[in-house]
């Protein structure tokens, strides 16, 4: 998400098709963002079939290894303008979903600990709880 925010700030500063510094900064952040998407769990990506995950990975390889020689700044600008927002939405949904799962897991763990305390020490410890 940091890369997406940086790309938005870069785009707000000027036209990457006319400024080499902005272009380089945008490409670097696209590389980082594309690489980060490769590390996302498959189950998170499968929940967002509208995002072209394989193409993002291929795009990263093109950017990093510069397979095509000089990459056209207009093409980079087009990718940002057309594809960044849907990816950003998917990432927000993933983060929200992940945060919700973490909350549920934490609640389950807390509940399990409370139940263990109520039940007393386990029989494995060799101690037995004496009901009062």
């Amino acid at each position: 998400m940091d890369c997406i925010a940086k790309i938005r700030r870069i785009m707000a500063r000027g036209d990457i098709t006319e400024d080499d510094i902005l272009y380089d900064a945008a490409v670097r952040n696209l590389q980082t963002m594309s690489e980060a998407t490769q590390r996302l769990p498959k189950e998170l990506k499968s929940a967002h079939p509208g995002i072209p995950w394989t193409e993002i990975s291929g795009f990263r390889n093109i950017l990093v290894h510069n397979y095509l020689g000089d990459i056209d700044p207009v093409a980079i600008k087009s990718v940002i303008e057309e594809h960044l927002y849907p990816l950003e939405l998917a990432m927000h949904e993933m983060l929200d979903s992940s945060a919700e799962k973490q909350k549920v897991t934490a609640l389950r763990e807390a509940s399990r600990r409370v139940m263990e305390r109520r039940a007393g020490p386990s029989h494995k410890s060799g101690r037995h709880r004496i009901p009062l």
Side-chain angles (χ1 to χ4, degrees):
M1 294 301 295
D2 291 341
C3 290
I4 292 174
K6 287 178 185 178
I7 292 168
R8 294 234 179 269
R9 290 196 308 270
I10 290 164
M11 297 296 284
R13 286 187 178 197
D15 188 345
I16 66 169
T17 65
E18 296 177 9
D19 186 320
D20 291 347
I21 303 298
L22 294 178
Y23 170 78
D24 288 344
V27 167
R28 178 67 183 127
N29 281 282
L30 284 170
Q31 290 172 354
T32 303
M33 182 196 63
S34 298
E35 188 167 333
T37 63
Q38 291 176 331
R39 297 180 181 169
L40 291 171
K42 288 181 182 178
E43 60 271 8
L44 286 179
K45 291 194 255 188
S46 65
H48 300 278
I51 301 298
W53 300 110
T54 303
E55 288 82 355
I56 290 172
S57 180
F59 182 64
R60 177 254 176 217
N61 293 335
I62 290 169
L63 292 174
V64 171
H65 301 294
N66 201 8
Y67 293 136
L68 304 176
D70 290 330
I71 301 167
D72 181 20
V74 174
I76 297 296
K77 183 177 180 179
S78 175
V79 165
I80 291 169
E81 291 175 345
E82 292 177 31
H83 300 289
L84 197 64
Y85 183 69
L87 180 61
E88 184 176 23
L89 289 177
M91 298 300 290
H92 278 294
E93 287 176 17
M94 286 180 190
L95 288 171
D96 291 346
S97 172
S98 179
E100 190 61 34
K101 285 179 184 175
Q102 287 176 351
K103 287 178 191 175
V104 168
T105 301
L107 286 170
R108 284 183 180 155
E109 181 61 23
S111 177
R112 184 189 60 76
R113 282 181 284 185
V114 167
M115 296 304 288
E116 284 177 355
R117 274 189 244 131
R118 286 183 183 167
S122 75
H123 294 288
K124 293 178 186 176
S125 70
R127 292 186 248 155
H128 299 283
R129 183 169 187 219
I130 301 172
L132 297 177

